[in-house]
Amino acid sequence: MVAVKCLPDLHRSIVGDSWCETSINVSIIVLIGGTLSCIMQITPIMYSSSFDGTALYVWFSTAWLIAMYPLSRLVLLCRKQKTSEMEETRSCNHRNTFQGYSPYDLIRRIFPICILWFISSYLFLEALTTITATDASAIFSTSSACMGAFAISLFNESLLHLQAISMYLSSFGFLIILYIDGAIFPGLVGVLMCIAATISSSFYKVLFYNIVGDASLSSMALFMTMLGVCNLIFLWPIPYLFCYWNQETYLWNDIPWFVFYTASICTLAFNCLIVFGSSVTSPFNISLGSLMSIPINAVVDVLAYEVSFSWMKLLAYLLLSVGYVLMMLPVQRHRRKSLDLHNHGHITT
């Protein structure tokens, strides 16, 4: 019954009230899925017999997040349309999101998220060396179920029926992929690394939203910029130590800079679409964009690498996708209710 009630909201979320709004929503969904797929397909190319610097790439690409806040200010300056009443209220409520924090407090809050970000990215890239991008994107889609579990356990949020169903479907889909890919040792290691990356990613997302919340575009971009600065200043010893201890072997001339720059630009574009897109479309469309990476990666894997998918693996992809959508239904419905209440004057600021 809840799912049926949510369907009109989801239709309005994607289709919108005008042709222009529909075009924007669809474009954001496709661009998010496309950039995420590009990251997954490009990064494995950098590995060779003379280079395996995953930690170096993670540090390098994360440093690009420093550009998030300047880009957000540029976007706001270039916007010619008048800010709506809802955006003004939201901006006033969150204009001073980080005001009152000392530099020590900011570092203390951002540094754990930066560490989890680094761990999640490192494990995910390592997993891509042993499993296909389609499998990795499908497993990574269970992060929504993990986020729900973390939110329930850490912040005592209530468990909704759709969220419970989502967790069950995601678990079944994950077990099917583990059963198929775990038949060989490298595939088992890749799946386990991807699971660890998903858990780490879910944990830092929960911490991120606990700190920032439903913040404005500028506040979210500022947080991502501070995350990049924290990575640049404090995490540079990690790739150095990995190289020093021979965990990663490469020479300066062996670094594939073209792949580094291309993948880093895609990573920055993906995060910009997530942050900037949240100001013009609904959270469901942002999540649907991430889900679009599964079919896009599947097409690329079939055409470029001649990967074949069994019916069991297709069933696993379907279960994970449905679980992902079900987890987002209560979020979209709650947002629609909040907007309706505000539009009818029931929310005081």
Side-chain angles (χ1 to χ4, degrees):
M1 178 66 68
V2 178
V4 174
K5 291 180 179 179
C6 290
L7 289 178
D9 290 338
L10 296 185
H11 180 267
R12 281 193 294 170
S13 173
I14 300 174
V15 176
D17 299 326
S18 64
W19 180 87
C20 180
E21 186 176 349
T22 302
S23 301
I24 293 175
N25 293 339
V26 174
S27 299
I28 290 176
I29 292 172
V30 174
L31 287 174
I32 290 176
T35 52
L36 184 57
S37 300
C38 286
I39 296 170
M40 295 181 183
Q41 296 291 339
I42 292 174
T43 48
I45 301 176
M46 68 182 177
Y47 296 104
S48 63
S49 58
S50 58
F51 180 82
D52 59 352
T54 305
L56 177 64
Y57 168 76
V58 172
W59 176 81
F60 179 83
S61 61
T62 305
W64 282 58
L65 295 179
I66 296 174
M68 289 286 291
Y69 185 70
L71 288 174
S72 71
R73 301 309 302 172
L74 182 63
V75 169
L76 292 176
L77 288 175
C78 292
R79 289 180 64 178
K80 296 181 180 179
Q81 62 269 33
K82 191 175 180 180
T83 306
S84 63
E85 180 182 352
M86 183 64 182
E87 289 175 337
E88 287 180 357
T89 303
R90 189 180 180 192
S91 178
C92 292
N93 290 339
H94 299 286
R95 183 179 297 143
N96 300 321
T97 302
F98 303 105
Q99 185 174 354
Y101 288 120
S102 65
Y104 172 76
D105 291 332
L106 286 175
I107 294 175
R108 183 173 57 86
R109 290 172 177 269
I110 295 173
F111 188 74
I113 299 178
C114 189
I115 291 292
L116 290 171
W117 176 291
F118 195 97
I119 294 173
S120 174
S121 301
Y122 181 87
L123 292 175
F124 188 74
L125 291 177
E126 287 291 325
L128 285 174
T129 61
T130 56
I131 62 176
T132 64
T134 309
D135 289 348
S137 58
I139 296 175
F140 208 70
S141 67
T142 60
S143 60
S144 59
C146 294
M147 285 181 64
F150 282 137
I152 292 168
S153 59
L154 295 178
F155 306 113
N156 297 322
E157 293 188 4
S158 57
L159 178 64
L160 303 178
H161 295 297
L162 285 180
Q163 291 176 324
I165 297 173
S166 170
M167 293 179 184
Y168 283 123
L169 292 177
S170 299
S171 300
F172 288 141
F174 152 71
L175 290 175
I176 293 175
I177 294 180
L178 181 62
Y179 171 76
I180 298 174
D181 291 344
I184 55 176
F185 181 73
L188 176 61
V189 173
V191 171
L192 294 178
M193 282 187 174
C194 196
I195 295 169
T198 302
I199 295 174
S200 177
S201 172
S202 304
F203 197 42
Y204 82 67
K205 288 177 182 177
V206 170
L207 293 178
F208 171 81
Y209 285 111
N210 185 44
I211 295 174
V212 179
D214 188 22
S216 63
L217 167 63
S218 297
S219 296
M220 294 181 65
L222 178 59
F223 186 90
M224 299 300 290
T225 293
M226 291 189 293
L227 185 69
V229 172
C230 183
N231 165 82
L232 183 67
I233 296 176
F234 297 108
L235 299 190
W236 65 265
I238 296 179
Y240 174 79
L241 291 175
F242 272 46
C243 186
Y244 180 78
W245 291 332
N246 292 325
Q247 296 298 316
E248 296 180 353
T249 56
Y250 53 86
L251 297 175
W252 184 262
N253 294 331
D254 296 329
I255 299 176
W257 290 112
F258 177 77
V259 178
F260 264 44
Y261 281 108
T262 304
S264 297
I265 291 173
C266 291
T267 302
L268 178 62
F270 172 74
N271 286 284
C272 286
L273 287 168
I274 295 293
V275 174
F276 300 160
S278 62
S279 65
V280 296
T281 189
S282 66
F284 180 80
N285 291 339
I286 302 296
S287 302
L288 188 61
S290 300
L291 191 64
M292 279 290 295
S293 64
I294 299 179
I296 295 176
N297 280 319
V299 171
V300 175
D301 287 340
V302 170
L303 296 179
Y305 304 105
E306 298 182 353
V307 177
S308 59
F309 300 105
S310 63
W311 69 269
M312 290 185 63
K313 188 164 284 190
L314 294 176
L315 175 62
Y317 297 157
L318 178 62
L319 291 175
L320 291 171
S321 300
V322 173
Y324 190 91
V325 173
L326 290 180
M327 181 59 71
M328 294 306 301
L329 284 174
V331 176
Q332 173 63 19
R333 191 184 184 198
H334 174 73
R335 182 179 185 274
R336 178 64 63 180
K337 283 184 175 181
S338 299
L339 290 176
D340 290 341
L341 285 173
H342 183 273
N343 292 333
H344 287 85
H346 296 303
I347 294 180
T348 59
T349 57

